[in-house]
Every structure is written in structure tokens, then in C-alpha cells.
Amino acid sequence: MDFDVIIIGGGHAGTEAAAAAARRGARTALISFDPERIGAMSCNPAIGGLGKGHLVREVDAFDGLIARATDAAGIHYRMLNRSKGTAVQGPRVQADRKLYARAIQSMLARQAGLEIVAGEAKSLTVAGDRVTGVLLADGRTLASRAVVLATGTFLGGRLFCGDQRDAGGRWGEQAATVLGHQLRALGLPMARLKTGTPPRLDGRTIDWARLDEQRSDAEPWTMSPLTQSRALPQLFCAVTRTNPDTHAIIRSGLDRSPLFTGAIGAAGPRYCPSIEDKIHRFADRDGHQIFLEPEGLDDHLVYPNGISTSLPADIQAALIASIEGLERARIVTPGYAVEYDHIDPRALTPTLALQAMAGLFCCGQINGTTGYEEAAGQGLLAGLNAAAHALSLAPVILDRASSYLGVMIDDLVLQGVTEPYRMLTARAEYRLRLRADNAETRLSPIALVAGCLGDARQDRLSARADARHAIEAALAVALPSRTLLAGGAPVVDDGATRSGYDWLRFPGVQIGHVAPQLAGVHDQALIDEIAEDARYAPYINRQDSEIAAIRRDESLPIPVEFDFGAVPGLSNEMVERLGVARPVSLAAAGRVRGITPAALSAILLHVRKRAA
């Protein structure tokens, strides 16, 4: 069978890659061990959070799947950092696991040009330095011009729970062992990373009455703007904590923990460490918070967020019983760690294509990242660019000033990873303009040009443009201070006349004070977004100047074959780092760790001299 693009893996990266490639017009195949497990949430039952919620909204702006599937399964909505500015607020939604996977599978089934193939991808078929397709374990060969690896933790995956060792990428599922061996044999830069998950508890055995409730937000926001309202009943979460007794129990089992015996040598995620890591690294803390998150409306399983572990099952049972409210809680599935292969992402281009193998793209945990949201974002871009490669279309490359997606890709391909990469708002230097609430405004026009928006999204984009014009016209009207004062705005009647847009920068002035006629006429989310733009305007204008300067640097390309060793004044360490990162522009070279302004000046002069 012949395809334009083949995707290997049906997780968050693979499903977004498959849908994106098909939306762009490529004949696409998605290969999965078990099609019924496509879209499964391997770890926590939640989507979004700080930085991560921005990624979800950005994928949605390209008509991706993750936000709509989240809303279809959403059972608890919570806006994180609500007390801070909108730039660093993070939408987070807990999802019913079964309904989430069902929503993903349903959207894929309706996607034109996409075929689901059940089977194990045994190996890639290769001609010289070009990928030509995939060989399945049952002997079938699928030919294609591009292949996307979205293998998650399955590539050479190995599971650890105390002394127990098993090959697998997820509890009860086999690993992609042969494919891992082939990638290493091809001489690709490979390494190992580790992640983990907590035990799953029987919610019927938890003493909920003794714990603090955390209810879903009352405000009716949704993850995707295409979702009109929340479809499901909302459940509450509960909060508890570990205590000194818990920590003593954990310490008693460290000699049997694969993290401390040396059985696991790979680095784990710094920002989501195992509970044994926490009590070892933060020995002065007398407790760590645990969020008890229901896994579904008709599912009694509960996910204790905060106690990821690979300790032996008996130690896990004891530590759970030591925690308030969990004294009688029954463990249904023990926690475990998984160690897996990944590719050094510095071997990739900004399109997520492997430099050493034409037509081969990588996304998700194979690139050294962690998290559903990071995987989905990479899957989107890998799928769009694999389709571009196969169909001779323009690539989709996002920069740091446009999106968190651009920040993530730039971080990965320039800096590489030493631990599983997780998105944080602090990683984005232009986060004042990269808010979760304006992702659609920032990115949908780019998605439209790329040809990956469906009819409903295009209609919405057109309607939003008309509404934006009307809202901005209303805010351009000049208003004297006495008019605002009469309307209840907390301003001083200084006789000044300002536009509604300018008045919104004054503390306490709301959209209802300057343009009350907009209420109920246009989408309130769009009105709020434009009002927030007005409040941030002086800072955003300053950042726009910085971005313009950076993009002038971006206009000076560095040739792919450029010899950094020939640049006078560069240290051996700089030459090595630049040679691995292969920055495509002067601005990109400046973001490589350890490259000084003097080194940039030397590179600039050498590039210009070479071009002359």
C-alpha cells in the first residue's frame, strides 16, 4: 500500500500528526499496536496547566484535536494562576479517560484521507539516506514519502516497579524493541530518559469527607472556542498531603527502589519528580501536596497526582495507608517507572525532520519531551511538515515570538535535552503577547495559509475578523473623563479626552465603562482579549520593537554547510556546540548556550565575508 505520510504511534503526538497531515491533503496512515488504545491518556487524567494550556490552545488554533477532545471529556475545569495576569494563567481540564480516547478516535474516523492500520511497525524501509516506508511485523510493507515517529515511551521501553522488570512502553503493553535497535544501528544520536506514574487508587475506599474539596471553576470557559458549553457533569477533586510517617516509609524502601539501586540510570523530569526523589532532594520538607483526581464519571479509579513512584508494591501500599484520608485506600494498579529511548533533538531541523535521513520526522517523547501537551504540539508540526515534504508544500516553521510551539521547537533543536523537557511560561521571553486567550488570533491566520483549517474553523476566523473590526472601532471613539466618571469608572475628571482603548490602561476601567454597547453583541471572549491587548499595549509595543530587531537578524541566514571552525576567535567548545545545533540564522546562533556577543559578531563578519 502506498501513502504520502505514515505515522508510527497512536498517542497524543501521533494522533495530532496523523490528523494534521491528512488535513493538509496527504494520504496518511496511522500505525498502532492496538487501534482501541489510540488516544489513551497514559499518565494523569488532565490536559493543560501553566505553559501547557498555552500549547493546547495553540494546537487548537491549527484545528488540532486535543482541545476539542478535552472538552468532550472534561469533568473538572480550573484556571491556574487566576490571581496573576492573563499572560501566565493556565487553563487545565481533567478528562474522563474513556471519553477522551473515544473523542480522539471519533475525530480520526471522520478525517478524510486518513487510514488506521493495526500492527507493529517492525522497521523503517530505507534507500540510501532516504526513508521509503515501514515494514510491519506481519510482513506487510507500507510505502511512503515521509514517516513520522511518534513512539512515546514505547521505543526500547522498560518498566520498573521495585525489583520487577518488564519490557513495555505502558503497563500491559509491549515495547517497540526491534525498531529501537534499527534506529541505533542507523547511527542516530540516541540516549535514554525516564518517566513515571503513581499508583491508581479505588476511589470507593477513600475517606473523602476528611479531605479538602477542590471544585471546578464556575465560569463556563472551555478549552476550545469551538466548544459552546461544557457537556458533562463536573466532579470535585480533593487535596491531601504526605507526612513524616510517609517519608519514613519511603526511606525504608529506597534500597529496593530502581532509582537508587542503579537499575534506572536515565534522567527523569525535574519538574515532576517521583516521590522518592522529592523526599531525598527536599529532606527538610515535612509534607508534599497530593491532588486526588477522579479518572472518569463511571470509573472508580483515582489518580493521586504528586506521588509518582517505582518503589516496590508493598512499600507503595504502606505509604498510601500513612496519608490522611487514604488509610483504607486500595491500590488497583501500582505505580511504576518507564525508561525509554529518545533521539537527541539537536539532530532535527525546525520542521522536526531528521537531518541525516530525508523524509523522517520525529515528535513527542522520542524528542526528549514529557507531557501530553508538548507531544501534541510537536505532533501537529511534524504532521504538517511531513505532508509538506511529501506534497512539495511550504513548511510550517514558528518562531519564539509567535507561539509557545515556536519556543518549544527552538529550545529542542538548538539546546537539546538533559532531562525530559517540559513547557513553562518562564521559557517564553515574549509571554506578554503569547497569552492562552489570544492563541486563535495569533496562529489561525498562519494555519489558514498552511491549508489545515476545516470549514467550521474558516467560517469562525472570518466572523472573528468582522467582530474584531467592530470592537476596535468602538474602542477608538474618544471619550472625555466626565463621561467615564458618570458611568462609574474609578477615574479623575481631569478634563482629558482619550480613546476607549487608552482608557482601558487605567486601573479599574472596564470594557463596560468605555463601550457598554458591545455587551451581548459580540463574543465576550474576543472582547476580553482585545481589552487585555489594550492594557498590555505599552509593553507589547516595546516587545514588538525587540522582535523586529530579532527578525532582522533572522534575515541573515547561516548556510547549512557553514564551517564554524573557520571563524577566528571561537573556542573549541563554541565550535562544538554550534556544530551540533547547526543554527540556521544569526539569531538562532545567539540562542545556543554559551555563545557570547563577541562570538556572534565574529560569525556575522565571517558569514558576510563568505557571501561577498
Side-chain angles (χ1 to χ4, degrees):
M1 291 185 284
D2 290 352
F3 296 93
D4 296 316
V5 176
I6 295 173
I7 316 294
I8 299 176
H12 300 274
T15 53
E16 291 290 354
R23 285 200 308 279
R24 216 170 182 201
R27 291 172 298 126
T28 306
L30 171 60
I31 302 173
S32 174
F33 281 137
D34 181 1
E36 292 186 1
R37 296 286 293 163
I38 287 175
M41 303 176 83
S42 300
C43 195
N44 65 307
I47 299 290
L50 303 180
K52 292 171 173 283
H54 292 70
L55 289 174
V56 174
R57 291 272 176 85
E58 291 180 355
V59 171
D60 185 70
F62 279 85
D63 225 0
L65 311 179
I66 188 170
R68 285 177 288 155
T70 299
D71 285 330
I75 56 177
H76 186 276
Y77 287 71
R78 190 169 181 83
M79 187 66 70
L80 306 185
N81 264 1
R82 183 179 289 278
S83 63
K84 299 184 179 180
T86 54
V88 293
Q89 290 178 5
R92 185 179 190 269
V93 181
Q94 285 180 220
D96 181 303
R97 287 185 186 275
K98 297 174 187 175
L99 296 180
Y100 182 89
R102 186 183 303 170
I104 290 289
Q105 292 172 23
S106 176
M107 284 189 279
L108 293 180
R110 295 194 304 269
Q111 177 61 58
L114 174 60
E115 181 176 338
I116 306 298
V117 178
E120 178 187 353
K122 182 178 180 181
S123 61
L124 303 174
T125 58
V126 176
D129 60 356
R130 178 173 59 89
V131 69
T132 60
V134 176
L135 174 65
L136 301 182
D138 61 10
R140 287 178 292 165
T141 298
L142 309 182
S144 69
R145 295 191 62 193
V147 173
V148 179
L149 296 177
T151 49
T153 58
F154 286 77
L155 198 66
R158 191 162 174 77
L159 307 178
F160 298 82
C161 180
D163 298 328
Q164 185 178 347
R165 311 281 187 273
D166 294 292
R170 188 162 52 204
W171 191 265
E173 297 183 55
Q174 60 184 311
T177 304
V178 177
L179 180 60
H181 290 329
Q182 183 194 22
L183 295 179
R184 287 182 177 274
L186 289 172
L188 302 180
M190 307 284 291
R192 301 280 281 177
L193 286 174
K194 167 259 176 187
T195 189
T197 192
R200 304 305 196 270
L201 308 180
D202 184 340
R204 298 168 297 186
T205 62
I206 293 173
D207 190 350
W208 297 97
R210 297 175 56 198
L211 305 176
D212 293 332
E213 288 187 6
Q214 187 179 74
R215 295 197 170 274
S216 186
D217 285 351
E219 298 84 353
W221 61 269
T222 55
M223 192 63 90
S224 171
L226 289 189
T227 306
Q228 298 302 309
S229 62
R230 299 176 187 174
L232 301 175
Q234 298 296 289
L235 304 182
F236 69 85
C237 300
V239 184
T240 186
R241 293 180 66 83
T242 62
N243 55 61
D245 289 343
T246 312
H247 298 180
I249 292 167
I250 293 169
R251 290 190 186 95
S252 74
L254 291 183
D255 61 333
R256 299 164 61 201
S257 165
L259 290 179
F260 288 83
T261 63
I264 296 177
R270 181 191 312 180
Y271 300 102
C272 188
S274 66
I275 189 61
E276 50 264 48
D277 260 346
K278 287 181 184 178
I279 65 104
H280 180 70
R281 287 162 49 187
F282 308 108
D284 58 323
R285 295 277 298 274
D286 60 2
H288 296 279
Q289 204 166 44
I290 302 169
F291 294 92
L292 301 175
E293 302 174 345
E295 298 207 350
L297 294 174
D298 63 350
D299 193 334
H300 61 269
L301 292 183
V302 169
Y303 182 96
N305 196 337
I307 50 172
S308 172
T309 184
S310 58
L311 286 163
D314 60 311
I315 298 294
Q316 293 188 39
L319 76 88
I320 289 294
S322 71
I323 297 170
E324 183 179 6
L326 306 183
E327 291 89 349
R328 296 180 180 82
R330 183 176 71 88
I331 294 177
V332 178
T333 304
Y336 62 92
V338 55
E339 193 179 58
Y340 55 94
D341 287 341
H342 79 97
I343 288 175
D344 184 339
R346 291 175 296 181
L348 305 173
T349 72
T351 64
L352 295 183
L354 196 66
Q355 297 176 39
M357 181 77 58
L360 185 58
F361 295 76
C362 300
C363 57
Q365 285 175 289
I366 191 174
N367 289 344
T369 62
T370 183
Y372 304 150
E373 304 82 4
E374 291 85 351
Q378 293 169 73
L380 170 83
L381 292 172
L384 294 176
N385 286 313
H389 175 85
L391 304 177
S392 299
L393 302 173
V396 177
I397 299 176
L398 302 175
D399 64 20
R400 301 182 73 89
S402 72
S403 59
Y404 275 81
L405 289 170
V407 170
M408 174 174 63
I409 301 305
D410 191 66
D411 284 347
L412 291 174
V413 303
L414 279 179
Q415 310 294 357
V417 297
T418 56
E419 62 190 47
Y421 177 96
R422 175 178 180 167
M423 179 50 68
L424 306 166
T425 53
R427 296 190 190 276
E429 55 269 54
Y430 303 115
R431 55 187 171 275
L432 286 182
R433 56 184 289 125
L434 305 183
R435 307 191 308 268
D437 70 336
N438 67 6
E440 193 174 16
T441 297
R442 289 185 281 112
L443 296 175
S444 285
I446 299 173
L448 181 65
V449 172
C452 64
L453 296 184
D455 292 341
R457 192 75 66 161
Q458 291 186 50
D459 291 344
R460 176 178 169 80
L461 190 59
S462 177
R464 273 174 58 88
D466 293 340
R468 175 175 287 276
H469 179 76
I471 295 167
E472 290 177 343
L475 292 177
V477 174
L479 300 168
S481 57
R482 63 179 179 275
T483 299
L484 268 76
L485 194 62
V491 298
V492 176
D493 186 6
D494 58 0
T497 297
R498 301 178 178 87
S499 70
Y501 200 79
D502 289 338
W503 276 118
L504 283 169
R505 292 203 291 272
F506 283 69
V509 176
Q510 303 297 322
I511 198 82
H513 296 134
V514 297
Q517 72 273 25
L518 295 176
V521 177
H522 300 290
D523 178 13
Q524 188 60 46
L526 180 58
I527 294 173
D528 293 342
E529 175 192 326
I530 294 172
E532 203 70 358
D533 288 341
R535 296 186 182 102
Y536 281 110
Y539 308 100
I540 291 175
N541 291 339
R542 189 184 309 157
Q543 286 196 345
D544 285 343
S545 298
E546 295 174 9
I547 292 165
I550 286 174
R551 285 179 172 157
R552 284 195 296 272
D553 288 341
E554 290 281 9
S555 66
L556 181 69
I558 297 177
V560 173
E561 69 282 2
F562 185 78
D563 181 11
F564 290 101
V567 179
L570 295 189
S571 68
N572 290 336
E573 183 181 7
M574 289 181 186
V575 170
E576 181 181 354
R577 287 184 176 181
L578 290 164
V580 173
R582 302 306 315 176
V584 297
S585 68
L586 190 67
R591 294 192 296 274
V592 175
R593 192 176 293 111
I595 304 305
T596 64
L600 281 181
S601 297
I603 294 169
L604 172 63
L605 291 174
H606 204 74
V607 170
R608 285 179 174 168
K609 179 180 178 181
R610 188 177 182 273

